[in-house]
Amino acid sequence: MASQSRVRAPELAGAGWLNTGGARLGISDLRGKIVLLDFWTFCCINCLHVLDELRPLEDKYRDELVVIGVHSPKFTHERDARALAAAVERYGVDHPVVNDPDLSIWDAYAARAWPTLAVIDPNGYVVSTMAGEGHAQSLDRIVGDLVAKHRDDGTLVEGPGPHVAPKTADTLLRFPGKAIRLPGGTLMATDSARHRLVELDADGGSIVRVIGDGERGDRDGAPDVARFSEPQGLCVLPATVAARVGYELLVADTVNHRLRGVSLETGEVKTVAGTGRPWRSDVDFHAHDALATDLSSPWDLAWFDDRVVIAMAGVHQLWWFDPTTATTGVYCGTTVEGLRDGPVEEAFMAQPSGLAADGDRLWIVDSETSALRYIENERIHTVIGAGLFDFGHVDGPSAEALLQHPLGVAVTATGVVLIADTYNGALREYDPGTGEVSTLVTGLAEPSDIVPGETEPLVVESAAHRLVRPEIERRAVGGRRERVVRAATDIAPGKLTLRVVFEPANGEKFDDTFGPSTRLAVTADPPGLLADGAGDGTDLERELLIADGHEGGVLQIVAQAATCDSEAVNPACHLTRQDWGVPVRIVDGGPSTLTLMLRGAEPDDRGASND
């Protein structure tokens, strides 16, 4: 395999550092270490997947590897240093993080997608970059080879890295995710950062009991034995269904990619869906054995249409789960991240994170498009939301209203829809009768769910570590309209060659066991930007035709590649996937080729040159 040109690692000139005890780190401070930069933003589910993929790697190479999170935000709220500090604790990030609020480091490393990974050798050269998730095995090989090479050369500095663990406050809950009213009148909350369930009194102020031992893990059993990993959504099953299956409460065990059933009488926990592996496959709408099926970051649950609907945030879909038949399957969405209405099997969704059933309607908040949507008669409709890059805090007619990364939704007894508008720190209301959106409460710390009440609702105020009944101050917010603006890529008008570069990692080969090993899906915002070339295909290179009359827009590109180990007796299979939203500007004389790196060739010398 041909060697890539060596590139000096740009400096890490961020606005501040976390998990370093106050120290600022530069490339020279990391000399002698293998460094892995993880470009992430805490709203992004794919970025959260990578955090979990990296944990075993960090443990294996604790004396040789330094992982540094480069937080390059999408939403305005994510630029807040306090919000970033909360996210670092919430998601158990155990490595240094540099705050990159204006994306200066992002630009220096030519990142184009969340997440992007860059490996730097002990001499300070970038030796590999890759976008998306699913790279754990490749990174293990790269880091292992770098360790061997630089240990032999005497250029590897072994020993503890610069991570300094911060102190954690002692609070009743720690970043609770979701909550639900139990049949007896008490509340159950997912105490997400402590990896447990907590039953609270009717007002949410004191603990009745705890289910889970509080350590991150994946273990069934009694309440003091069971383990979860960042659980989120909850659903109480109808009594007749619960009697048949032997559990009353269903839990979305998010980071374990499982559903867990809980007996409310005994607190016993058992796995009822998911293998523990993240879903990376092709979409079908068939029923599958729930315990033999991979899931992907289930985030919320709702009983709708005589089954459980799952907000499968990790693949931008809704799935269904039937407890009585122990089967599961896709309900809505194609896995393409975006905002497209219509029949459920053709819809685009973007990290659905909250569900609420109301008769024949299922309400959904799609967090990455800052959208409120609903499904009725097998079709999805958008009430609030303009797309992946538009957000804000605007009340009024729903067609003009804007949210910012909402995570929770609920419906009152009168049919009014309540929205936990998370990154605006607000409780919002949508009235289907009038079509109007209003703000009920502001100043909340990342509200993530709502429990409707007979009078006022309870709000899960996640970053304040509590459930609260806020004082309603209904008012109209006139407007903060925002749009994510990143540096646009110049392209020529007319024909454009799109090329996604992917080469199997050393020791892997393309896997076509279950069909074509690669897939490429292309859409555009606005849709009319592409006169030809939109849609799905199996080649990673495609000719696009840019329509006349446009100055620019966003190309939305999804690429995936399936590989397997080439020499192993029982080869492991891998699927690498990434979504890009590439802003483009149409310029006469601009490039007629757009190249994206899903995974590039790894250099033969692994950056072995001494300096």
Side-chain angles (χ1 to χ4, degrees), residues 256-530:
N256 280 327
H257 310 292
R258 295 189 191 270
L259 302 185
R260 316 288 290 280
V262 179
S263 165
L264 291 179
E265 180 180 355
T266 66
E268 189 82 12
V269 177
K270 67 176 181 179
T271 299
V272 297
T275 63
R277 298 183 300 268
W279 182 91
R280 294 186 179 121
S281 186
D282 291 324
V283 176
D284 68 53
F285 285 80
H286 304 147
H288 298 272
D289 178 353
L291 284 171
T293 301
D294 299 338
L295 309 181
S296 185
S297 297
W299 205 275
D300 203 9
L301 307 166
W303 184 262
F304 179 71
D305 196 21
D306 294 324
R307 53 188 173 175
V308 176
V309 177
I310 310 164
M312 203 71 79
V315 284
H316 316 299
Q317 291 179 309
L318 303 182
W319 284 35
W320 58 265
F321 168 65
D322 187 336
T324 58
T325 62
T327 54
T328 189
V330 176
Y331 175 45
C332 177
T334 64
T335 78
V336 175
E337 186 178 17
L339 189 69
R340 185 170 79 181
D341 291 344
V344 292
E345 65 273 11
E346 299 175 8
F348 292 174
M349 308 189 77
Q351 212 168 301
S353 301
L355 302 172
D358 182 32
D360 294 332
R361 283 188 177 182
L362 177 69
W363 291 94
I364 309 144
V365 282
D366 249 358
S367 59
E368 280 298 287
T369 49
S370 298
L372 173 67
R373 311 174 78 179
Y374 69 89
I375 291 174
E376 188 173 30
N377 297 326
E378 303 297 308
R379 296 183 68 87
I380 190 167
H381 309 264
T382 298
V383 173
I384 306 170
L388 278 167
F389 305 102
D390 296 275
F391 60 93
H393 191 163
V394 179
D395 288 329
S398 61
E400 300 173 12
L402 291 172
L403 310 168
Q404 185 180 183
H405 198 80
L407 292 178
V409 62
V411 183
T412 70
T414 60
V416 170
V417 181
L418 301 176
I419 306 159
D421 192 4
T422 308
Y423 286 3
N424 279 327
L427 177 63
R428 310 281 293 280
E429 176 185 89
Y430 166 67
D431 187 339
T434 65
E436 291 290 314
V437 178
S438 56
T439 296
L440 304 182
V441 182
T442 57
L444 297 170
E446 295 191 7
S448 58
D449 200 16
I450 306 152
V451 181
E454 293 181 3
T455 54
E456 304 300 340
L458 273 170
V459 175
V460 179
E461 195 178 7
S462 187
H465 318 293
R466 65 179 183 173
L467 275 61
V468 63
R469 199 181 303 277
E471 184 176 344
I472 302 299
E473 299 176 355
R474 187 185 307 274
R475 62 193 182 93
V477 174
R480 192 180 74 248
R481 298 180 179 274
E482 302 188 58
R483 183 174 177 85
V484 176
V485 178
R486 288 179 282 149
T489 298
D490 288 347
I491 60 171
K495 292 183 179 180
L496 176 71
T497 300
L498 171 63
R499 183 178 298 123
V500 177
V501 176
F502 178 88
E503 293 190 25
N506 289 343
E508 294 180 15
K509 63 181 180 180
F510 284 106
D511 180 15
D512 58 4
T513 305
F514 301 102
S517 58
T518 57
R519 176 193 172 207
L520 180 65
V522 182
T523 57
D525 181 15
L529 178 65
L530 287 179

Side-chain angles (χ1 to χ4, degrees), residues 36-105:
L36 173 59
L37 301 183
D38 173 20
F39 290 86
W40 69 302
T41 183
F42 65 75
C43 71
C44 167
I45 192 66
N46 308 91
C47 299
L48 302 186
H49 289 171
V50 168
L51 289 177
D52 294 301
E53 291 176 353
L54 295 182
R55 294 185 204 279
L57 199 70
E58 293 179 84
D59 185 60
K60 180 176 180 179
Y61 298 106
R62 66 171 64 90
D63 291 329
E64 302 90 8
L65 174 70
V66 175
V67 175
I68 293 178
V70 182
H71 189 264
S72 305
K74 172 183 174 180
F75 288 100
T76 301
H77 176 70
E78 294 174 296
R79 298 190 188 111
D80 186 319
R82 293 169 299 179
L84 173 57
V88 166
E89 181 189 342
R90 179 197 302 270
Y91 298 119
V93 180
D94 290 328
H95 51 249
V97 174
V98 57
N99 189 8
D100 182 31
D102 57 1
L103 277 67
S104 60
I105 307 175

